[in-house]
Amino acid sequence: PVSYLLELRLKYALSLLDDRYLSIKDISSRCGFGDSNYFCRRFRKHFGCTPGEMREDCCPFCDNGAE
């Protein structure tokens, strides 16, 4: 279903955030999102913070693997 595909795309985006040379817009495009704003909204709804916050490890409510 659509929700499964969305989850896969967002998890792929999460893995791409490690590459600091890719912009959020590039990541959203690579994950199949035509609109980076929509991507950011869906990412925040799924993970609890924006892609930029996740990348910078400054999201206090996210479990992004930082130890």
Side-chain angles (χ1 to χ4, degrees), residues 5-11 13 25-40 42-43:
L5 179 59
L6 178 62
E7 184 174 346
L8 287 179
R9 291 162 65 191
L10 290 172
K11 285 183 178 180
K25 187 172 183 175
D26 290 338
I27 291 171
S28 69
S29 179
R30 287 184 183 203
C31 294
F33 291 90
D35 181 357
S36 60
N37 291 319
Y38 175 72
F39 163 69
C40 289
R42 297 307 302 201
F43 190 97

Side-chain angles (χ1 to χ4, degrees), residues 54-65:
M54 184 71 82
R55 175 179 267 175
E56 298 300 322
D57 295 330
C58 63
C59 181
F61 305 107
C62 299
D63 178 18
N64 57 6

